[in-house]
């Protein structure tokens, strides 16, 4: 019951949603590892490499993508513009 009420409130109140659910955490920006954020999220470089192999079927860390840990815990790869 509490979960449903909170979920409903989060839909209509973005500030509450950010407080409850958090925001995406950058793990790699423009080819640079964000070491403090890796520690904060307890994600290793090996975890990033594994995610890249599973999501993109590619090896190595990207220089043309930013990498984030999303609010749901998944790791996403976002192609840089330009």
């Amino acid at each position: 019951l509490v979960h449903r009420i909170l979920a409903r409130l989060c839909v209509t109140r973005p500030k509450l949603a950010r407080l409850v659910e958090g925001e995406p955490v950058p793990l790699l920006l423009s080819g640079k590892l964000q070491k403090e954020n890796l520690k904060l999220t307890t994600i290793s470089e090996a975890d990033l490499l594994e995610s890249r192999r599973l999501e993109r079927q590619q090896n190595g860390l990207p220089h043309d993508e930013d990498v984030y840990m999303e609010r749901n815990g998944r790791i996403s790869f976002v192609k840089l513009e330009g």
Side-chain angles (χ1 to χ4, degrees), residues 5-66:
I5 293 169
L6 195 54
R8 221 179 196 95
L9 287 171
C10 286
V11 168
T12 59
R13 293 182 173 83
K15 286 184 182 180
L16 179 62
R18 280 193 298 276
L19 178 67
V20 172
E21 298 170 354
E23 297 220 8
V25 178
L27 303 175
L28 183 97
L29 295 173
S30 300
K32 288 188 166 189
L33 283 173
Q34 306 299 302
K35 293 186 187 269
E36 286 302 314
N37 289 346
L38 289 172
K39 287 180 192 173
L40 176 72
T41 58
T42 65
I43 299 288
S44 68
E45 188 173 340
D47 294 330
L48 286 180
L49 291 169
E50 178 182 0
S51 242
R52 182 147 160 91
R53 286 191 303 273
L54 293 171
E55 295 290 324
R56 297 280 205 232
Q57 290 76 45
Q58 296 176 338
N59 283 319
L61 293 175
H63 296 285
D64 61 344
E65 294 177 326
D66 288 340

